Amino acid sequence: MVNIKTLYVISHLVMIDLDIDMRQYDCPFIDTTDDVDIAFSAVQWQLDTDDETLETRLIAKGETAGALETGLRELREHPNMTECYILSKRDAVAQIGTTIEETNAMRTIDRNGGYITGPFRIEDGRERWHVGFDDDGDEDRTLAELERHNDFTVEDRDQLGPTALFDLLENSDSAMRLLEGCRSLTETERTTFEAASRAGYYETPRETTLEELADHFDISKTAVSMNLRRSERKVLKAALTALENIDDGGAH
Protein backbone atom coordinates (compact mmCIF):
# COMPACT_ATOMS: atom_id res chain seq x y z
CA MET A 1 0.00 0.00 0.00
CA VAL A 2 1.24 3.48 -0.88
CA ASN A 3 1.40 5.64 2.24
CA ILE A 4 0.64 9.35 2.51
CA LYS A 5 4.34 10.31 2.55
CA THR A 6 4.98 8.44 -0.71
CA LEU A 7 1.99 10.10 -2.35
CA TYR A 8 3.30 13.50 -1.27
CA VAL A 9 6.74 12.81 -2.73
CA ILE A 10 5.29 11.55 -6.03
CA SER A 11 2.95 14.54 -6.33
CA HIS A 12 5.91 16.90 -5.95
CA LEU A 13 8.10 15.18 -8.54
CA VAL A 14 7.60 17.86 -11.18
CA MET A 15 9.85 19.79 -13.47
CA ILE A 16 9.03 23.25 -14.71
CA ASP A 17 10.52 23.58 -18.19
CA LEU A 18 10.90 27.03 -19.75
CA ASP A 19 11.63 27.85 -23.37
CA ILE A 20 13.36 31.25 -23.21
CA ASP A 21 14.32 33.64 -25.99
CA MET A 22 17.36 35.31 -24.42
CA ARG A 23 19.70 38.18 -25.17
CA GLN A 24 22.68 38.27 -22.84
CA TYR A 25 24.91 41.32 -22.89
CA ASP A 26 28.10 39.47 -21.91
CA CYS A 27 27.90 36.40 -24.18
CA PRO A 28 30.57 35.96 -26.89
CA PHE A 29 28.26 33.91 -29.12
CA ILE A 30 25.45 36.46 -29.08
CA ASP A 31 27.83 39.35 -29.76
CA THR A 32 29.35 37.44 -32.69
CA THR A 33 26.00 36.63 -34.30
CA ASP A 34 25.08 40.29 -33.94
CA ASP A 35 27.89 41.26 -36.31
CA VAL A 36 28.30 38.23 -38.58
CA ASP A 37 25.90 35.91 -40.48
CA ILE A 38 26.74 32.88 -38.37
CA ALA A 39 24.73 30.61 -36.05
CA PHE A 40 25.79 28.30 -33.21
CA SER A 41 24.06 25.15 -31.96
CA ALA A 42 25.25 23.40 -28.80
CA VAL A 43 26.14 19.72 -28.96
CA GLN A 44 27.59 19.33 -25.46
CA TRP A 45 28.09 21.68 -22.53
CA GLN A 46 29.60 21.57 -19.04
CA LEU A 47 29.28 24.37 -16.49
CA ASP A 48 32.12 24.55 -13.98
CA THR A 49 30.80 26.65 -11.10
CA ASP A 50 34.12 26.52 -9.22
CA ASP A 51 36.11 28.01 -12.12
CA GLU A 52 33.06 30.05 -13.28
CA THR A 53 33.47 28.81 -16.86
CA LEU A 54 31.33 27.03 -19.45
CA GLU A 55 32.88 24.43 -21.74
CA THR A 56 30.96 23.68 -24.93
CA ARG A 57 31.08 21.74 -28.16
CA LEU A 58 29.11 23.53 -30.85
CA ILE A 59 28.25 23.43 -34.52
CA ALA A 60 28.99 26.78 -36.15
CA LYS A 61 27.30 27.48 -39.48
CA GLY A 62 28.07 30.56 -41.52
CA GLU A 63 25.99 32.02 -44.31
CA THR A 64 29.12 31.51 -46.41
CA ALA A 65 32.57 30.04 -45.83
CA GLY A 66 33.85 33.60 -45.49
CA ALA A 67 31.22 34.40 -42.85
CA LEU A 68 32.28 31.31 -40.92
CA GLU A 69 35.92 32.40 -40.91
CA THR A 70 35.02 35.95 -39.86
CA GLY A 71 32.67 34.73 -37.14
CA LEU A 72 35.22 32.33 -35.64
CA ARG A 73 37.86 35.06 -35.66
CA GLU A 74 35.56 37.48 -33.83
CA LEU A 75 34.61 34.74 -31.38
CA ARG A 76 38.26 34.08 -30.49
CA GLU A 77 38.90 37.80 -29.96
CA HIS A 78 35.92 38.36 -27.64
CA PRO A 79 37.03 39.44 -24.13
CA ASN A 80 34.82 36.77 -22.47
CA MET A 81 36.25 33.96 -24.61
CA THR A 82 38.91 31.88 -22.81
CA GLU A 83 39.48 29.18 -25.44
CA CYS A 84 38.15 28.52 -28.95
CA TYR A 85 39.42 25.78 -31.26
CA ILE A 86 38.23 23.98 -34.39
CA LEU A 87 37.55 20.25 -34.17
CA SER A 88 36.50 19.83 -37.81
CA LYS A 89 35.46 22.08 -40.68
CA ARG A 90 33.89 21.71 -44.09
CA ASP A 91 32.77 24.57 -46.31
CA ALA A 92 30.62 26.91 -44.16
CA VAL A 93 30.17 24.52 -41.22
CA ALA A 94 32.55 23.75 -38.37
CA GLN A 95 32.50 21.83 -35.12
CA ILE A 96 34.24 23.85 -32.44
CA GLY A 97 35.20 23.59 -28.80
CA THR A 98 35.06 26.62 -26.52
CA THR A 99 35.53 27.73 -22.94
CA ILE A 100 33.90 31.01 -21.95
CA GLU A 101 33.61 32.92 -18.71
CA GLU A 102 30.38 32.29 -16.84
CA THR A 103 27.80 34.86 -17.94
CA ASN A 104 25.47 36.72 -15.62
CA ALA A 105 22.48 34.66 -16.80
CA MET A 106 24.25 31.34 -16.26
CA ARG A 107 25.35 32.41 -12.78
CA THR A 108 21.82 33.55 -11.89
CA ILE A 109 20.17 30.33 -13.08
CA ASP A 110 22.68 28.09 -11.31
CA ARG A 111 22.59 30.07 -8.06
CA ASN A 112 18.81 29.80 -7.86
CA GLY A 113 18.58 26.06 -8.43
CA GLY A 114 17.89 26.12 -12.18
CA TYR A 115 19.48 23.84 -14.76
CA ILE A 116 19.78 23.56 -18.54
CA THR A 117 17.40 20.93 -19.94
CA GLY A 118 18.26 21.02 -23.63
CA PRO A 119 20.69 22.30 -26.27
CA PHE A 120 20.79 26.02 -26.93
CA ARG A 121 20.93 27.81 -30.28
CA ILE A 122 22.29 31.28 -30.97
CA GLU A 123 21.43 33.31 -34.08
CA ASP A 124 20.88 36.98 -34.99
CA GLY A 125 21.91 38.22 -31.56
CA ARG A 126 19.42 36.01 -29.69
CA GLU A 127 19.74 32.70 -27.87
CA ARG A 128 17.18 29.95 -27.35
CA TRP A 129 17.47 28.42 -23.87
CA HIS A 130 15.68 25.47 -22.30
CA VAL A 131 15.79 25.88 -18.52
CA GLY A 132 14.32 23.67 -15.78
CA PHE A 133 13.27 24.34 -12.19
CA ASP A 134 11.95 22.10 -9.43
CA ASP A 135 9.50 24.58 -7.95
CA ASP A 136 7.73 27.86 -8.64
CA GLY A 137 9.78 29.78 -6.08
CA ASP A 138 13.09 29.04 -7.83
CA GLU A 139 11.53 29.98 -11.16
CA ASP A 140 10.09 33.29 -9.95
CA ARG A 141 13.29 34.31 -8.17
CA THR A 142 15.44 33.49 -11.19
CA LEU A 143 13.29 35.38 -13.69
CA ALA A 144 13.18 38.43 -11.43
CA GLU A 145 16.98 38.49 -11.19
CA LEU A 146 17.47 37.86 -14.92
CA GLU A 147 15.46 40.98 -15.73
CA ARG A 148 18.12 43.18 -14.15
CA HIS A 149 20.89 42.40 -16.63
CA ASN A 150 19.31 40.54 -19.57
CA ASP A 151 16.58 40.91 -22.14
CA PHE A 152 14.41 37.81 -22.44
CA THR A 153 10.95 36.46 -23.23
CA VAL A 154 9.50 33.22 -21.91
CA GLU A 155 8.13 31.66 -25.11
CA ASP A 156 6.72 28.50 -23.56
CA ARG A 157 6.26 26.94 -20.11
CA ASP A 158 5.53 23.30 -19.34
CA GLN A 159 5.10 21.62 -15.98
CA LEU A 160 5.90 17.93 -16.28
CA GLY A 161 4.90 15.37 -13.68
CA PRO A 162 6.72 12.07 -13.00
CA THR A 163 4.75 10.10 -15.61
CA ALA A 164 5.46 12.63 -18.35
CA LEU A 165 9.11 12.89 -17.36
CA PHE A 166 9.55 9.10 -17.39
CA ASP A 167 7.80 8.87 -20.78
CA LEU A 168 10.02 11.64 -22.16
CA LEU A 169 13.22 9.95 -21.01
CA GLU A 170 12.06 6.46 -22.01
CA ASN A 171 11.28 7.57 -25.56
CA SER A 172 14.14 10.01 -26.13
CA ASP A 173 15.58 7.75 -28.88
CA SER A 174 12.26 7.82 -30.75
CA ALA A 175 12.12 11.59 -30.49
CA MET A 176 15.68 11.86 -31.79
CA ARG A 177 14.89 9.64 -34.80
CA LEU A 178 11.89 11.81 -35.66
CA LEU A 179 14.02 14.93 -35.32
CA GLU A 180 16.72 13.44 -37.55
CA GLY A 181 14.07 12.65 -40.17
CA CYS A 182 12.87 16.25 -40.15
CA ARG A 183 16.43 17.52 -40.40
CA SER A 184 17.05 15.29 -43.43
CA LEU A 185 14.72 17.47 -45.50
CA THR A 186 16.42 19.82 -47.90
CA GLU A 187 15.62 23.52 -47.63
CA THR A 188 13.35 23.29 -50.70
CA GLU A 189 11.52 20.24 -49.35
CA ARG A 190 11.05 21.83 -45.93
CA THR A 191 9.72 25.16 -47.21
CA THR A 192 7.38 23.43 -49.67
CA PHE A 193 6.09 21.05 -46.99
CA GLU A 194 5.55 23.89 -44.51
CA ALA A 195 3.81 26.12 -47.06
CA ALA A 196 1.49 23.30 -48.14
CA SER A 197 0.57 22.51 -44.54
CA ARG A 198 -0.05 26.15 -43.61
CA ALA A 199 -2.17 26.67 -46.73
CA GLY A 200 -4.39 23.69 -45.86
CA TYR A 201 -3.21 21.23 -48.51
CA TYR A 202 -3.57 18.37 -46.04
CA GLU A 203 -7.01 19.40 -44.77
CA THR A 204 -10.21 17.60 -45.80
CA PRO A 205 -11.40 19.05 -48.08
CA ARG A 206 -8.17 20.62 -49.29
CA GLU A 207 -7.94 24.39 -48.91
CA THR A 208 -5.29 24.81 -51.61
CA THR A 209 -4.17 23.00 -54.75
CA LEU A 210 -0.93 21.99 -56.41
CA GLU A 211 -1.55 24.68 -59.00
CA GLU A 212 -1.76 27.36 -56.31
CA LEU A 213 1.36 26.06 -54.60
CA ALA A 214 3.15 26.03 -57.95
CA ASP A 215 2.19 29.67 -58.49
CA HIS A 216 3.38 30.53 -54.98
CA PHE A 217 6.85 29.08 -55.61
CA ASP A 218 6.88 30.02 -59.32
CA ILE A 219 7.67 26.46 -60.39
CA SER A 220 5.79 23.72 -62.23
CA LYS A 221 3.04 21.65 -60.64
CA THR A 222 5.19 18.55 -61.21
CA ALA A 223 8.08 20.09 -59.28
CA VAL A 224 5.84 20.96 -56.34
CA SER A 225 4.42 17.45 -56.31
CA MET A 226 7.90 15.89 -56.33
CA ASN A 227 9.08 18.14 -53.48
CA LEU A 228 6.03 17.23 -51.41
CA ARG A 229 6.40 13.51 -52.09
CA ARG A 230 10.06 13.53 -51.08
CA SER A 231 9.38 15.44 -47.87
CA GLU A 232 6.36 13.27 -47.01
CA ARG A 233 8.38 10.10 -47.57
CA LYS A 234 11.22 11.25 -45.29
CA VAL A 235 8.94 12.44 -42.49
CA LEU A 236 6.73 9.35 -42.70
CA LYS A 237 9.74 7.01 -42.60
CA ALA A 238 11.09 8.81 -39.52
CA ALA A 239 7.67 8.73 -37.83
CA LEU A 240 7.23 5.01 -38.47
CA THR A 241 10.70 4.29 -37.10
CA ALA A 242 9.90 6.33 -34.00
CA LEU A 243 6.60 4.47 -33.55
CA GLU A 244 8.36 1.11 -33.81
CA ASN A 245 10.80 2.16 -31.09
CA ILE A 246 7.94 3.29 -28.86
CA ASP A 247 6.18 -0.04 -29.35
CA ASP A 248 9.41 -1.92 -28.63
CA GLY A 249 9.95 0.08 -25.45
CA GLY A 250 6.42 -0.58 -24.24
CA ALA A 251 6.78 -4.29 -24.86
CA HIS A 252 9.56 -4.81 -22.34
Side-chain angles (χ1 to χ4, degrees), residues 176-197:
M176 183 59 68
R177 289 179 184 275
L178 184 57
L179 181 61
E180 289 172 352
C182 292
R183 284 178 171 166
S184 71
L185 270 64
T186 66
E187 183 68 17
T188 299
E189 290 166 355
R190 183 182 64 81
T191 55
T192 306
F193 195 31
E194 289 178 346
S197 180

Side-chain angles (χ1 to χ4, degrees), residues 9-15 160-168:
V9 171
I10 291 175
S11 68
H12 284 71
L13 282 174
V14 297
M15 182 184 77
L160 306 175
T163 301
L165 282 172
F166 183 82
D167 193 36
L168 182 64

Side-chain angles (χ1 to χ4, degrees), residues 108-238:
T108 299
I109 290 170
D110 179 68
R111 185 173 61 241
N112 288 293
Y115 41 86
I116 304 300
T117 60
F120 50 87
R121 177 175 172 80
I122 310 103
E123 189 173 15
D124 297 328
R126 309 289 301 187
E127 185 171 12
R128 202 71 169 196
W129 274 27
H130 303 278
V131 182
F133 299 95
D134 293 327
D135 62 65
D136 295 333
D138 290 344
E139 175 195 5
D140 293 342
R141 188 167 54 254
T142 300
L143 295 181
E145 290 187 23
L146 283 176
E147 286 183 341
R148 300 173 189 170
H149 302 287
N150 304 274
D151 173 26
F152 70 90
T153 303
V154 177
E155 298 289 346
D156 195 18
R157 182 185 189 275
D158 291 316
Q159 187 160 322
L160 306 175
T163 301
L165 282 172
F166 183 82
D167 193 36
L168 182 64
L169 294 172
E170 188 75 0
N171 294 297
S172 59
D173 286 344
S174 296
M176 183 59 68
R177 289 179 184 275
L178 184 57
L179 181 61
E180 289 172 352
C182 292
R183 284 178 171 166
S184 71
L185 270 64
T186 66
E187 183 68 17
T188 299
E189 290 166 355
R190 183 182 64 81
T191 55
T192 306
F193 195 31
E194 289 178 346
S197 180
R198 285 195 299 266
Y201 181 75
Y202 296 104
E203 298 296 327
T204 304
R206 284 179 173 167
E207 297 173 3
T208 191
T209 64
L210 285 176
E211 288 86 352
E212 290 170 334
L213 290 171
D215 290 340
H216 174 76
F217 289 104
D218 194 24
I219 57 177
S220 69
K221 187 171 71 172
T222 301
V224 170
S225 179
M226 289 179 61
N227 289 334
L228 286 178
R229 286 180 180 275
R230 282 194 294 263
S231 60
E232 290 163 358
R233 185 165 55 248
K234 290 179 180 179
V235 172
L236 181 59
K237 181 179 179 181

Side-chain angles (χ1 to χ4, degrees), residues 35-47:
D35 301 329
V36 185
D37 288 329
I38 190 173
F40 300 98
S41 294
V43 177
Q44 177 271 334
W45 61 95
Q46 178 66 48
L47 179 62

Side-chain angles (χ1 to χ4, degrees), residues 47-103:
L47 179 62
D48 188 330
T49 54
D50 292 332
D51 289 341
E52 297 185 342
T53 59
L54 175 71
E55 295 182 16
T56 56
R57 300 290 184 275
L58 304 104
I59 300 298
K61 183 177 181 180
E63 186 70 22
T64 63
L68 176 66
E69 293 294 337
T70 301
L72 294 181
R73 182 172 62 251
E74 289 201 12
L75 194 64
R76 293 190 191 96
E77 295 172 354
H78 194 281
N80 279 12
M81 179 60 66
T82 302
E83 185 179 24
C84 179
Y85 52 92
I86 296 174
L87 295 167
S88 62
K89 185 173 66 171
R90 182 176 180 181
D91 299 327
V93 180
Q95 183 180 8
I96 64 174
T98 67
T99 302
I100 69 171
E101 295 181 12
E102 186 180 41
T103 64

